[in-house]
Amino acid sequence: MSLRKVNISILVVAVVIFLLVLHHNFLGLSDFLKRELTDANPLGLQPIDFIPAAPQRLADETNDKEISVVIAASDERLGGAIAAMNSIYRNTRSNVVFHIVALNDTVDHLRLWLSNSALKNLRYRILDFDPRVLEGKIEVDPQKTDTLKPLTFARFYLPSLVPHAEKAIYVDDDVIVQDDILELYNTPLKPGHAAAFSDDCDSITNKVAVRGAGNQYNYIGFLDYKKETIRKLAMKANTCSFNPGVIVANLTEWKLQNITKQLEKWMALNVVEQLYSRTLAGSITTPPLLIVFYKQHSSIDPLWNVRHLGSTAGKRYSPQFVKAAKLLHWNGHFKPWGRTASYAEVWEKWYVPDPTGKFSLIRRHSEAYEAK
């Protein structure tokens, strides 16, 4: 009997050892498959740079939810995008990933700049924007330089740029962020709203007169109400407009409502019918957004888009207010990388010098840049 018990014990031990080895091998295979699935890129996106490892300073954070921030980076304004990203990165402990939209001829310059030690921990993807998507949707007008800048329209294609995200932030390249971008990301959107903007009639910007023809605070300043197509929409001409330089987007709703297709529709109609105001003071990206989001958008805290800093060379806000602002926006002709912009010293705090020296030469001519 004792011999039989010994044999049974040996058999049991052998079975346990076999099961442990089998379990270990199975886990190894599972991990391998997970790595393969994670590394796969089923969408086959255009040239992508991605730094997958989060900086060490995020290691102790319990909230590792990825915050997608989209920004366009044209070569002649690349320093602006660099400063904007640096200000966002330095003022948050959140897991931010930048989706940098660029044209093919800018990618090498951008990569070299991002390799700077001050920016080496940025998590980013570089996306090559194909201008051919705009064919038949914009009419090139030498008098309006943003018609010659395809990246101006990148914000219309957010779900394509960030295909796996449910929510994303878009910011212009002429902004500086002075607070945690997580607060902006957490902006509540009402049910059924695909985006949130900062209204032009808010208590802050309404006090600032903007030079330029037309009324930039309401719809009649952007759309030609003499056109029957516009009148049929029954949109009140005195409706408060909004600024599209900072957008918090619900990408799920954006896709469900086919927002991109709607925007493209109105862009194409404008080419045929000239629906935008002839005295348009702002960017040509604004009118189609105003139509599509008429009374169907949520609001951003005004302190998250303190704008008109580029409207004149003079200072429109007190130093105390500028310090309290959460996001500063130099929309207008006078950019902070120029010699005459107000509070340029605030922008320069976040600027990282161009290793190629190209951008420093362009700074001298920035006064001629068009408003956004």
PDB file of all heavy atoms in Angstrom, residues 17-29:
ATOM      1  N   ILE A  17       3.411  19.650 -12.417  1.00  0.00           N
ATOM      2  CA  ILE A  17       4.539  20.287 -13.109  1.00  0.00           C
ATOM      3  C   ILE A  17       4.218  20.490 -14.586  1.00  0.00           C
ATOM      4  O   ILE A  17       4.484  21.550 -15.173  1.00  0.00           O
ATOM      5  CB  ILE A  17       5.825  19.445 -12.947  1.00  0.00           C
ATOM      6  CG1 ILE A  17       6.277  19.459 -11.467  1.00  0.00           C
ATOM      7  CG2 ILE A  17       6.933  19.963 -13.849  1.00  0.00           C
ATOM      8  CD1 ILE A  17       7.437  18.536 -11.168  1.00  0.00           C
ATOM      9  N   PHE A  18       3.594  19.494 -15.208  1.00  0.00           N
ATOM     10  CA  PHE A  18       3.235  19.590 -16.620  1.00  0.00           C
ATOM     11  C   PHE A  18       2.249  20.732 -16.862  1.00  0.00           C
ATOM     12  O   PHE A  18       2.382  21.518 -17.805  1.00  0.00           O
ATOM     13  CB  PHE A  18       2.622  18.255 -17.079  1.00  0.00           C
ATOM     14  CG  PHE A  18       2.067  18.308 -18.475  1.00  0.00           C
ATOM     15  CD1 PHE A  18       2.907  18.273 -19.579  1.00  0.00           C
ATOM     16  CD2 PHE A  18       0.694  18.413 -18.683  1.00  0.00           C
ATOM     17  CE1 PHE A  18       2.385  18.335 -20.861  1.00  0.00           C
ATOM     18  CE2 PHE A  18       0.171  18.469 -19.961  1.00  0.00           C
ATOM     19  CZ  PHE A  18       1.019  18.423 -21.054  1.00  0.00           C
ATOM     20  N   LEU A  19       1.266  20.840 -15.991  1.00  0.00           N
ATOM     21  CA  LEU A  19       0.266  21.898 -16.132  1.00  0.00           C
ATOM     22  C   LEU A  19       0.877  23.281 -15.950  1.00  0.00           C
ATOM     23  O   LEU A  19       0.515  24.236 -16.651  1.00  0.00           O
ATOM     24  CB  LEU A  19      -0.867  21.688 -15.121  1.00  0.00           C
ATOM     25  CG  LEU A  19      -1.774  20.474 -15.381  1.00  0.00           C
ATOM     26  CD1 LEU A  19      -2.776  20.297 -14.234  1.00  0.00           C
ATOM     27  CD2 LEU A  19      -2.518  20.634 -16.705  1.00  0.00           C
ATOM     28  N   LEU A  20       1.820  23.386 -14.989  1.00  0.00           N
ATOM     29  CA  LEU A  20       2.485  24.679 -14.774  1.00  0.00           C
ATOM     30  C   LEU A  20       3.289  25.097 -16.001  1.00  0.00           C
ATOM     31  O   LEU A  20       3.277  26.260 -16.410  1.00  0.00           O
ATOM     32  CB  LEU A  20       3.396  24.602 -13.550  1.00  0.00           C
ATOM     33  CG  LEU A  20       2.677  24.554 -12.186  1.00  0.00           C
ATOM     34  CD1 LEU A  20       3.695  24.312 -11.071  1.00  0.00           C
ATOM     35  CD2 LEU A  20       1.931  25.863 -11.935  1.00  0.00           C
ATOM     36  N   VAL A  21       4.015  24.147 -16.589  1.00  0.00           N
ATOM     37  CA  VAL A  21       4.797  24.437 -17.799  1.00  0.00           C
ATOM     38  C   VAL A  21       3.881  24.840 -18.947  1.00  0.00           C
ATOM     39  O   VAL A  21       4.145  25.801 -19.683  1.00  0.00           O
ATOM     40  CB  VAL A  21       5.655  23.215 -18.191  1.00  0.00           C
ATOM     41  CG1 VAL A  21       6.306  23.456 -19.560  1.00  0.00           C
ATOM     42  CG2 VAL A  21       6.714  22.952 -17.135  1.00  0.00           C
ATOM     43  N   LEU A  22       2.783  24.133 -19.101  1.00  0.00           N
ATOM     44  CA  LEU A  22       1.832  24.429 -20.157  1.00  0.00           C
ATOM     45  C   LEU A  22       1.228  25.828 -19.978  1.00  0.00           C
ATOM     46  O   LEU A  22       1.096  26.601 -20.937  1.00  0.00           O
ATOM     47  CB  LEU A  22       0.713  23.371 -20.163  1.00  0.00           C
ATOM     48  CG  LEU A  22      -0.340  23.506 -21.279  1.00  0.00           C
ATOM     49  CD1 LEU A  22       0.314  23.323 -22.642  1.00  0.00           C
ATOM     50  CD2 LEU A  22      -1.443  22.463 -21.089  1.00  0.00           C
ATOM     51  N   HIS A  23       0.890  26.165 -18.730  1.00  0.00           N
ATOM     52  CA  HIS A  23       0.314  27.478 -18.439  1.00  0.00           C
ATOM     53  C   HIS A  23       1.309  28.597 -18.740  1.00  0.00           C
ATOM     54  O   HIS A  23       0.956  29.634 -19.316  1.00  0.00           O
ATOM     55  CB  HIS A  23      -0.095  27.520 -16.958  1.00  0.00           C
ATOM     56  CG  HIS A  23      -0.695  28.843 -16.543  1.00  0.00           C
ATOM     57  ND1 HIS A  23      -1.900  29.298 -17.023  1.00  0.00           N
ATOM     58  CD2 HIS A  23      -0.243  29.791 -15.685  1.00  0.00           C
ATOM     59  CE1 HIS A  23      -2.168  30.474 -16.492  1.00  0.00           C
ATOM     60  NE2 HIS A  23      -1.182  30.801 -15.670  1.00  0.00           N
ATOM     61  N   HIS A  24       2.574  28.369 -18.383  1.00  0.00           N
ATOM     62  CA  HIS A  24       3.614  29.369 -18.639  1.00  0.00           C
ATOM     63  C   HIS A  24       3.771  29.617 -20.138  1.00  0.00           C
ATOM     64  O   HIS A  24       3.861  30.763 -20.606  1.00  0.00           O
ATOM     65  CB  HIS A  24       4.936  28.898 -18.032  1.00  0.00           C
ATOM     66  CG  HIS A  24       6.087  29.819 -18.337  1.00  0.00           C
ATOM     67  ND1 HIS A  24       6.268  31.033 -17.703  1.00  0.00           N
ATOM     68  CD2 HIS A  24       7.116  29.704 -19.227  1.00  0.00           C
ATOM     69  CE1 HIS A  24       7.348  31.625 -18.174  1.00  0.00           C
ATOM     70  NE2 HIS A  24       7.873  30.842 -19.102  1.00  0.00           N
ATOM     71  N   ASN A  25       3.781  28.546 -20.918  1.00  0.00           N
ATOM     72  CA  ASN A  25       3.935  28.677 -22.366  1.00  0.00           C
ATOM     73  C   ASN A  25       2.737  29.393 -22.988  1.00  0.00           C
ATOM     74  O   ASN A  25       2.869  30.187 -23.922  1.00  0.00           O
ATOM     75  CB  ASN A  25       4.112  27.301 -23.014  1.00  0.00           C
ATOM     76  CG  ASN A  25       5.467  26.686 -22.665  1.00  0.00           C
ATOM     77  OD1 ASN A  25       6.403  27.411 -22.314  1.00  0.00           O
ATOM     78  ND2 ASN A  25       5.573  25.362 -22.772  1.00  0.00           N
ATOM     79  N   PHE A  26       1.561  29.114 -22.461  1.00  0.00           N
ATOM     80  CA  PHE A  26       0.354  29.745 -22.974  1.00  0.00           C
ATOM     81  C   PHE A  26       0.381  31.257 -22.728  1.00  0.00           C
ATOM     82  O   PHE A  26       0.036  32.054 -23.597  1.00  0.00           O
ATOM     83  CB  PHE A  26      -0.878  29.140 -22.298  1.00  0.00           C
ATOM     84  CG  PHE A  26      -2.163  29.827 -22.687  1.00  0.00           C
ATOM     85  CD1 PHE A  26      -2.751  29.598 -23.924  1.00  0.00           C
ATOM     86  CD2 PHE A  26      -2.773  30.723 -21.813  1.00  0.00           C
ATOM     87  CE1 PHE A  26      -3.928  30.240 -24.276  1.00  0.00           C
ATOM     88  CE2 PHE A  26      -3.938  31.374 -22.173  1.00  0.00           C
ATOM     89  CZ  PHE A  26      -4.521  31.113 -23.409  1.00  0.00           C
ATOM     90  N   LEU A  27       0.825  31.666 -21.528  1.00  0.00           N
ATOM     91  CA  LEU A  27       0.922  33.083 -21.221  1.00  0.00           C
ATOM     92  C   LEU A  27       1.923  33.777 -22.130  1.00  0.00           C
ATOM     93  O   LEU A  27       1.713  34.900 -22.577  1.00  0.00           O
ATOM     94  CB  LEU A  27       1.330  33.280 -19.755  1.00  0.00           C
ATOM     95  CG  LEU A  27       0.254  32.971 -18.706  1.00  0.00           C
ATOM     96  CD1 LEU A  27       0.830  33.162 -17.309  1.00  0.00           C
ATOM     97  CD2 LEU A  27      -0.972  33.844 -18.910  1.00  0.00           C
ATOM     98  N   GLY A  28       3.034  33.098 -22.410  1.00  0.00           N
ATOM     99  CA  GLY A  28       4.027  33.674 -23.296  1.00  0.00           C
ATOM    100  C   GLY A  28       3.472  33.897 -24.684  1.00  0.00           C
ATOM    101  O   GLY A  28       3.700  34.917 -25.318  1.00  0.00           O
ATOM    102  N   LEU A  29       2.695  32.901 -25.168  1.00  0.00           N
ATOM    103  CA  LEU A  29       2.082  33.035 -26.480  1.00  0.00           C
ATOM    104  C   LEU A  29       1.057  34.158 -26.483  1.00  0.00           C
ATOM    105  O   LEU A  29       0.963  34.957 -27.429  1.00  0.00           O
ATOM    106  CB  LEU A  29       1.404  31.712 -26.874  1.00  0.00           C
ATOM    107  CG  LEU A  29       0.644  31.706 -28.221  1.00  0.00           C
ATOM    108  CD1 LEU A  29       1.611  32.000 -29.355  1.00  0.00           C
ATOM    109  CD2 LEU A  29      -0.064  30.372 -28.425  1.00  0.00           C
TER     110      LEU A  29
END
